[in-house]
Amino acid sequence: MSVQVLLAITQAFALTMSVAFLVYVVVIVVPYLRRKPGPAGDPAGFTWHFFVPCRDEQTVIRETTRYLRTTFRRAHVWVVDDDSEDRTARVVRMLWRRHGGYDPYLHLVPRVRPEARTGKGDALNAAYRALNDWMGPDAARDDVVVVVVDADGRPSPNCLEVCAADHLFGDPAVGAVQLDVRMGNVETPPLSRNPVGRWFGLKLAQLQDLEFRTAIAAIQTSRGFTGTISMGGNGQFTRLTALDSIAGDAGQPWRGSLLEDFELGVHLLTAGWRTGFTPDAHVSQEGLYSLRRFLVQRTRWGQGTMQCARYLRRIWDSPHVSTLGAAEMMYYLAQPWLQLLGSLLYPIPFVLLVIGTAGDPVQMWTWFTGGAWILFAIYGSFGLLPFLVWGPIYQLKCLHSKNFLRGLGMGFAYAAYIYTFYVTSWRALFRLVRGRNGWAKTRRNTEQAAGVKVALDA
């Protein structure tokens, strides 16, 4: 078989995958751009409980707790100290005592090893059981909502009103609602001696903001039509009775996957609950400045997605999930595997082109200039356009700027950003094969900055 024939076959396969993905992007972009804000509701009809899982979070937990308690004065805050080795628990206890008394809306859930430090899901389960003990067996549970917030999370002040709306928790069939996610440090460069490092760190945080506010928000919006809106690890609102329905005898609504948020959504959907998503309120979190820490985080997410493949049969057999919804969830679970396949398939045409040119440069040049270059151009365009489009959309819709050239530049940067997922998919596979399923905490930017500041002051 000639090099030209092999090139044509591999390009056909790769082009088919790229065209299918481009069509998918077009399908999700339209409802995202056409969506209008929804009405708000009355949060007084519900009781709100914030769960904040913490593992060595002394650098951020003070301000997060203060923010939650001052912004949502009638909401309870449950800080779960997962056997931290720093002053996390001490900081919370100090905040607990105010004006010579105790804050009845602030609760500390301490955990110790060996039960502690076994994953975010286990920490949340501990808060769930503590809430049950605090409420007692006879308490009303229908209008109680649990809100999961990361230790660096800042839910927008209007989030309770938005989630209390008739189309969200005002509908008793809705078991969970996910907020839009934003990066709160997109205008704050990291502390670094190196100007290039400051620029790169800030750009990486901005690309994470772009990803969540455009591509992920569009995916979540489109899932409203398939009934498969998934939960995130930050800004996750869940009705207590929905958690009760999937907790089982062990009292564990969250399970053992590294992607415990998506896993929770699977159990809720297959139990018959509806889920919602709203960009009318948001939760802010830290965008990571470090590429190394970013790769560690996304490796964990990719591995968690691979682990959730065990729910394919549950999804497909569930009478509560439509055929279209099951197909959408299966497509999502297939993403890391498709990235593995793509990392093997996409480079082949270029490798074969180099090999063919080395063997017979004249023949390959004649073939290439005779029209084959058009196929390469189409091949490259279809591989780039599905990611490039989000830059201008982010610039116009999220930043309210008409600077098209900057948006185009962000689109090219986002395309490069997305290709790092091919790396993290392989890392996730290697961890899975080696049985390394432990949960590793991602270091906060404030922890990194503290180390840098010490070095700068030295």
Side-chain angles (χ1 to χ4, degrees):
M1 186 178 296
S2 67
V3 172
Q4 289 91 333
V5 173
L6 283 173
L7 274 168
I9 293 173
T10 54
Q11 280 188 322
F13 276 113
L15 190 59
T16 300
M17 293 177 63
S18 297
V19 170
F21 186 65
L22 181 59
V23 172
Y24 170 73
V25 169
V26 172
V27 168
I28 68 174
V29 162
V30 174
Y32 168 74
L33 293 177
R34 295 185 63 187
R35 187 194 178 278
K36 304 297 182 183
D42 182 7
F46 300 87
T47 303
W48 309 87
H49 293 265
F50 288 87
F51 286 3
V52 188
C54 293
R55 176 175 163 182
D56 302 326
E57 300 285 10
Q58 69 173 18
T59 59
V60 294
I61 191 57
R62 182 190 305 275
E63 293 306 316
T64 298
T65 304
R66 283 178 173 170
Y67 175 84
L68 294 175
R69 285 296 298 116
T70 56
T71 307
F72 312 103
R73 293 185 178 276
R74 305 302 294 178
H76 289 264
V77 177
W78 298 77
V79 179
V80 186
D81 176 42
D82 202 26
D83 203 3
S84 297
E85 296 177 344
D86 63 4
R87 300 173 65 251
T88 297
R90 183 179 177 184
V91 168
V92 176
R93 289 190 181 99
M94 290 174 63
L95 292 172
W96 188 36
R97 301 179 178 90
R98 62 174 189 176
H99 307 300
Y102 292 91
D103 184 349
Y105 289 91
L106 179 58
H107 313 267
L108 177 64
V109 182
R111 304 186 74 222
V112 295
R113 280 171 277 198
E115 288 78 14
R117 303 176 81 89
T118 55
K120 183 178 178 181
D122 289 342
L124 292 171
N125 287 330
Y128 168 76
R129 292 190 291 269
L131 173 60
N132 285 337
D133 293 340
W134 179 82
M135 291 180 61
D138 300 325
R141 306 173 71 86
D142 292 341
D143 296 324
V144 178
V145 177
V146 168
V147 188
V148 176
V149 178
D150 282 350
D152 64 337
R154 297 290 186 277
S156 59
N158 69 330
C159 66
L160 302 188
E161 288 84 357
V162 168
C163 290
D166 289 342
H167 65 288
L168 296 175
F169 284 121
D171 181 349
V174 173
V177 176
Q178 175 60 44
L179 298 187
D180 197 16
V181 178
R182 300 180 182 180
M183 304 301 127
N185 56 329
V186 293
E187 296 181 357
T188 307
L191 183 63
S192 173
R193 285 196 182 99
N194 188 347
V196 175
R198 288 196 298 271
W199 174 86
F200 179 83
L202 185 61
K203 188 60 62 179
L204 183 60
Q206 291 170 350
L207 289 172
Q208 291 163 71
D209 191 57
L210 183 157
E211 177 191 13
F212 276 92
R213 296 179 66 182
T214 59
I216 292 179
I219 292 171
Q220 290 280 61
T221 301
S222 69
R223 285 172 176 165
F225 298 97
T226 60
T228 55
I229 293 170
S230 64
M231 295 297 100
N234 199 10
Q236 171 195 124
F237 288 62
T238 313
R239 199 185 295 270
L240 184 58
T241 48
L243 294 176
D244 293 340
S245 69
I246 63 173
D249 295 336
Q252 297 180 347
W254 287 273
R255 310 299 168 90
S257 168
L258 292 175
L259 203 66
E260 84 294 328
D261 44 12
F262 178 82
E263 189 176 37
L264 178 77
V266 169
H267 286 285
L268 292 173
L269 291 169
T270 55
W273 292 95
R274 285 175 48 211
T275 54
F277 167 74
T278 177
D280 298 333
H282 66 272
V283 59
S284 295
Q285 64 185 40
E286 286 186 347
L288 297 176
Y289 293 136
S290 164
L291 180 61
R292 182 183 62 81
R293 288 186 291 143
F294 174 79
L295 294 176
V296 169
Q297 180 194 69
R298 296 312 172 94
T299 297
R300 185 175 73 244
W301 293 2
Q303 186 178 357
T305 305
M306 292 177 175
Q307 290 173 337
C308 286
R310 62 176 177 260
Y311 294 117
L312 285 174
R313 182 63 179 269
R314 174 193 285 265
I315 293 168
W316 193 257
D317 289 346
S318 174
H320 304 294
V321 180
S322 67
T323 301
L324 182 61
E328 192 280 328
M329 295 179 78
M330 293 173 70
Y331 173 75
Y332 173 79
L333 292 174
Q335 284 302 298
W337 306 103
L338 291 174
Q339 288 162 355
L340 292 175
L341 177 62
S343 66
L344 296 174
L345 189 60
Y346 292 143
I348 289 178
F350 298 100
V351 173
L352 290 176
L353 181 64
V354 171
I355 294 174
T357 302
D360 191 342
V362 175
Q363 181 182 1
M364 288 301 296
W365 178 251
T366 302
W367 173 78
F368 187 79
T369 56
W373 68 270
I374 299 177
L375 186 59
F376 274 90
I378 296 174
Y379 174 70
S381 299
F382 277 96
L384 185 63
L385 283 175
F387 311 117
L388 186 64
V389 67
W390 297 113
I393 289 175
Y394 175 72
Q395 193 72 18
L396 181 63
K397 186 174 178 63
C398 301
L399 302 185
H400 308 291
S401 168
K402 296 182 180 180
N403 189 336
F404 179 77
L405 290 179
R406 187 176 186 276
L408 195 62
M410 288 292 290
F412 278 106
Y414 183 63
Y417 168 93
I418 285 296
Y419 280 108
T420 63
F421 295 171
Y422 292 94
V423 176
T424 58
S425 291
W426 280 107
R427 285 167 55 104
L429 179 63
F430 292 149
R431 282 181 56 86
L432 199 66
V433 170
R434 296 173 62 185
R436 298 179 59 186
N437 298 315
W439 182 83
K441 173 185 175 291
T442 304
R443 291 183 62 195
R444 303 291 179 199
N445 291 327
T446 46
E447 298 175 63
Q448 188 83 2
V452 173
K453 188 176 187 305
V454 169
L456 291 173
D457 292 342

